Amino acid sequence: MAFTIKINGSEHSIDADGDTPLLWVLRDILEMTGTKFGCGMGLCGACTVHVDGIATRSCITSIDSIAGAEITTIEAIGATATGAGIQKAWLDREVVQCGYCQSGQIMSAAALLASNPHPTDSDIDEAMSGNICRCGTYGRVRAAIKQAAQSK
Ligand code: FES
Ligand code: FES
């Protein structure tokens, strides 16, 4: 079945079953591999993208559920002022270790700051609680989000 989905401002015609996860469409069909596969069950956050600005687990989001939505992925988040500020803070704070979780971390952080420009520590912890990092970068993630918030 054909679906038209809008990703990073461009429309793509996708021929796939309606229950195909958005993550598979991004990685396997469109070859946009910045969004990562971790658990495939909505539990780790590695696959986080924005659907109409909301941080969303693409591994459990079927393409027939996102008709008409604006999808933003890690490939385009730097084009937004919030995303660019987060990327700068990530570099300044040397957040990344192996990097596997980091696309999802940045997408969750960008959604947080877009809706709450000056989050408290508990706001940050709540918003980021679904993003698992096996390298334990949580402290630097929080510091980078605070830096990005201060620069807004
Ligand atoms: S791969 Fe989607 S939440 Fe883990
Ligand atoms: S940086 Fe390695 S899993 Fe988070």
Side-chain angles (χ1 to χ4, degrees):
M1 189 168 175
F3 294 88
T4 299
I5 57 176
K6 194 168 185 180
I7 302 172
N8 300 334
S10 298
E11 289 194 342
H12 299 267
S13 183
I14 305 297
D15 187 11
D17 292 338
D19 61 358
T20 304
L22 174 59
L23 180 60
W24 295 170
V25 172
L26 292 173
R27 291 185 58 85
D28 294 346
I29 297 177
L30 299 177
E31 299 183 345
M32 298 173 67
T33 55
T35 306
K36 302 305 182 190
F37 168 70
C39 65
M41 300 172 67
L43 300 172
C44 75
C47 66
T48 304
V49 300
H50 294 180
V51 177
D52 289 333
I54 306 296
T56 301
R57 308 304 188 227
S58 62
C59 69
I60 54 170
T61 301
S62 61
I63 56 170
D64 63 4
S65 71
I66 54 170
E70 299 271 353
I71 313 299
T72 306
T73 70
I74 189 68
E75 285 86 355
I77 198 65
T80 67
T82 298
I86 288 172
Q87 289 180 331
K88 180 180 185 311
W90 244 247
L91 290 171
D92 289 349
R93 298 285 174 163
E94 298 183 340
V95 172
V96 177
Q97 289 291 299
C98 81
Y100 202 83
C101 73
Q102 296 293 324
S103 297
Q105 302 276 5
I106 287 172
M107 295 307 288
S108 289
L112 168 63
L113 291 187
S115 64
N116 181 359
H118 300 290
T120 64
D121 283 356
S122 62
D123 291 338
I124 293 172
D125 291 347
E126 183 178 338
M128 302 303 292
S129 64
N131 288 83
I132 307 303
C133 176
R134 63 187 173 183
C135 300
T137 63
Y138 301 111
R140 293 203 296 277
V141 165
R142 184 199 271 184
I145 291 171
K146 286 183 175 180
Q147 177 181 320
Q150 286 167 358
S151 68
K152 282 174 78 76

mmCIF file of all heavy atoms in Angstrom, residues 23 36-48 57-60 130, ligand 1:
data_model
loop_
_atom_site.group_PDB
_atom_site.id
_atom_site.type_symbol
_atom_site.label_atom_id
_atom_site.label_comp_id
_atom_site.label_asym_id
_atom_site.label_seq_id
_atom_site.Cartn_x
_atom_site.Cartn_y
_atom_site.Cartn_z
ATOM 1 N N LEU A 23 10.393 3.500 12.064
ATOM 2 C CA LEU A 23 11.847 3.288 12.135
ATOM 3 C C LEU A 23 12.353 2.481 10.939
ATOM 4 O O LEU A 23 13.412 2.775 10.385
ATOM 5 C CB LEU A 23 12.214 2.581 13.443
ATOM 6 C CG LEU A 23 13.701 2.282 13.653
ATOM 7 C CD1 LEU A 23 14.543 3.548 13.645
ATOM 8 C CD2 LEU A 23 13.905 1.510 14.949
ATOM 9 N N LYS A 36 18.360 5.358 15.491
ATOM 10 C CA LYS A 36 18.910 4.033 15.813
ATOM 11 C C LYS A 36 17.849 3.048 16.281
ATOM 12 O O LYS A 36 16.844 3.413 16.874
ATOM 13 C CB LYS A 36 19.982 4.169 16.909
ATOM 14 C CG LYS A 36 21.131 5.089 16.534
ATOM 15 C CD LYS A 36 21.794 4.683 15.228
ATOM 16 C CE LYS A 36 22.976 5.587 14.902
ATOM 17 N NZ LYS A 36 23.476 5.357 13.532
ATOM 18 N N PHE A 37 18.135 1.780 16.032
ATOM 19 C CA PHE A 37 17.335 0.676 16.556
ATOM 20 C C PHE A 37 18.022 0.137 17.809
ATOM 21 O O PHE A 37 19.191 -0.249 17.772
ATOM 22 C CB PHE A 37 17.222 -0.442 15.514
ATOM 23 C CG PHE A 37 16.666 -1.721 16.074
ATOM 24 C CD1 PHE A 37 15.337 -1.789 16.448
ATOM 25 C CD2 PHE A 37 17.462 -2.840 16.236
ATOM 26 C CE1 PHE A 37 14.817 -2.959 16.972
ATOM 27 C CE2 PHE A 37 16.952 -4.010 16.763
ATOM 28 C CZ PHE A 37 15.623 -4.077 17.137
ATOM 29 N N GLY A 38 17.280 0.157 18.909
ATOM 30 C CA GLY A 38 17.811 -0.418 20.144
ATOM 31 C C GLY A 38 17.006 -1.631 20.551
ATOM 32 O O GLY A 38 17.371 -2.769 20.275
ATOM 33 N N CYS A 39 15.865 -1.400 21.189
ATOM 34 C CA CYS A 39 15.062 -2.499 21.727
ATOM 35 C C CYS A 39 13.935 -2.925 20.798
ATOM 36 O O CYS A 39 13.496 -4.079 20.847
ATOM 37 C CB CYS A 39 14.480 -2.091 23.074
ATOM 38 S SG CYS A 39 13.310 -0.707 22.942
ATOM 39 N N GLY A 40 13.427 -2.006 19.990
ATOM 40 C CA GLY A 40 12.293 -2.317 19.132
ATOM 41 C C GLY A 40 10.975 -2.438 19.883
ATOM 42 O O GLY A 40 9.976 -2.888 19.324
ATOM 43 N N MET A 41 10.962 -2.050 21.142
ATOM 44 C CA MET A 41 9.768 -2.238 21.982
ATOM 45 C C MET A 41 9.334 -0.957 22.704
ATOM 46 O O MET A 41 8.535 -1.017 23.636
ATOM 47 C CB MET A 41 10.035 -3.326 23.015
ATOM 48 C CG MET A 41 10.366 -4.683 22.396
ATOM 49 S SD MET A 41 10.892 -5.892 23.611
ATOM 50 C CE MET A 41 9.363 -6.118 24.533
ATOM 51 N N GLY A 42 9.887 0.175 22.309
ATOM 52 C CA GLY A 42 9.502 1.420 22.963
ATOM 53 C C GLY A 42 10.102 1.615 24.335
ATOM 54 O O GLY A 42 9.610 2.433 25.110
ATOM 55 N N LEU A 43 11.189 0.909 24.628
ATOM 56 C CA LEU A 43 11.717 0.919 25.995
ATOM 57 C C LEU A 43 13.044 1.654 26.167
ATOM 58 O O LEU A 43 13.427 1.946 27.292
ATOM 59 C CB LEU A 43 11.911 -0.537 26.473
ATOM 60 C CG LEU A 43 10.651 -1.394 26.502
ATOM 61 C CD1 LEU A 43 11.004 -2.847 26.809
ATOM 62 C CD2 LEU A 43 9.672 -0.846 27.524
ATOM 63 N N CYS A 44 13.764 1.954 25.086
ATOM 64 C CA CYS A 44 15.124 2.488 25.260
ATOM 65 C C CYS A 44 15.295 3.914 24.757
ATOM 66 O O CYS A 44 16.227 4.610 25.158
ATOM 67 C CB CYS A 44 16.140 1.579 24.570
ATOM 68 S SG CYS A 44 16.161 1.714 22.769
ATOM 69 N N GLY A 45 14.464 4.362 23.835
ATOM 70 C CA GLY A 45 14.533 5.731 23.334
ATOM 71 C C GLY A 45 15.516 5.961 22.203
ATOM 72 O O GLY A 45 15.595 7.082 21.681
ATOM 73 N N ALA A 46 16.260 4.942 21.790
ATOM 74 C CA ALA A 46 17.268 5.146 20.740
ATOM 75 C C ALA A 46 16.645 5.594 19.425
ATOM 76 O O ALA A 46 17.308 6.261 18.624
ATOM 77 C CB ALA A 46 18.060 3.856 20.516
ATOM 78 N N CYS A 47 15.391 5.250 19.207
ATOM 79 C CA CYS A 47 14.730 5.503 17.919
ATOM 80 C C CYS A 47 13.890 6.772 17.919
ATOM 81 O O CYS A 47 13.088 6.972 17.009
ATOM 82 C CB CYS A 47 13.828 4.324 17.592
ATOM 83 S SG CYS A 47 12.456 4.208 18.774
ATOM 84 N N THR A 48 14.095 7.644 18.904
ATOM 85 C CA THR A 48 13.210 8.809 19.070
ATOM 86 C C THR A 48 13.306 9.788 17.900
ATOM 87 O O THR A 48 14.401 10.172 17.485
ATOM 88 C CB THR A 48 13.551 9.542 20.380
ATOM 89 O OG1 THR A 48 13.450 8.610 21.459
ATOM 90 C CG2 THR A 48 12.613 10.717 20.620
ATOM 91 N N ARG A 57 8.621 7.347 19.877
ATOM 92 C CA ARG A 57 9.435 6.150 19.606
ATOM 93 C C ARG A 57 9.045 5.605 18.227
ATOM 94 O O ARG A 57 7.971 5.033 18.061
ATOM 95 C CB ARG A 57 9.223 5.092 20.674
ATOM 96 C CG ARG A 57 9.402 5.571 22.116
ATOM 97 C CD ARG A 57 10.753 6.210 22.368
ATOM 98 N NE ARG A 57 10.909 6.471 23.798
ATOM 99 C CZ ARG A 57 11.339 7.613 24.308
ATOM 100 N NH1 ARG A 57 11.678 8.610 23.509
ATOM 101 N NH2 ARG A 57 11.470 7.748 25.610
ATOM 102 N N SER A 58 9.927 5.777 17.271
ATOM 103 C CA SER A 58 9.586 5.393 15.901
ATOM 104 C C SER A 58 9.495 3.882 15.720
ATOM 105 O O SER A 58 8.889 3.417 14.756
ATOM 106 C CB SER A 58 10.599 5.979 14.911
ATOM 107 O OG SER A 58 11.895 5.484 15.146
ATOM 108 N N CYS A 59 10.060 3.108 16.643
ATOM 109 C CA CYS A 59 10.013 1.639 16.497
ATOM 110 C C CYS A 59 8.634 1.079 16.754
ATOM 111 O O CYS A 59 8.348 -0.055 16.355
ATOM 112 C CB CYS A 59 11.033 0.969 17.418
ATOM 113 S SG CYS A 59 10.642 1.084 19.185
ATOM 114 N N ILE A 60 7.784 1.838 17.452
ATOM 115 C CA ILE A 60 6.434 1.354 17.748
ATOM 116 C C ILE A 60 5.374 2.287 17.157
ATOM 117 O O ILE A 60 4.245 2.301 17.616
ATOM 118 C CB ILE A 60 6.215 1.166 19.267
ATOM 119 C CG1 ILE A 60 6.558 2.440 20.040
ATOM 120 C CG2 ILE A 60 7.011 -0.017 19.787
ATOM 121 C CD1 ILE A 60 6.127 2.402 21.505
ATOM 122 N N GLY A 130 13.051 8.086 29.633
ATOM 123 C CA GLY A 130 12.871 6.962 28.727
ATOM 124 C C GLY A 130 14.033 6.744 27.777
ATOM 125 O O GLY A 130 13.978 5.854 26.925
HETATM 126 S S1 FES B 1 14.371 1.069 19.614
HETATM 127 FE FE1 FES B 1 12.576 2.234 19.915
HETATM 128 S S2 FES B 1 12.478 2.584 22.059
HETATM 129 FE FE2 FES B 1 14.145 1.204 21.793
#
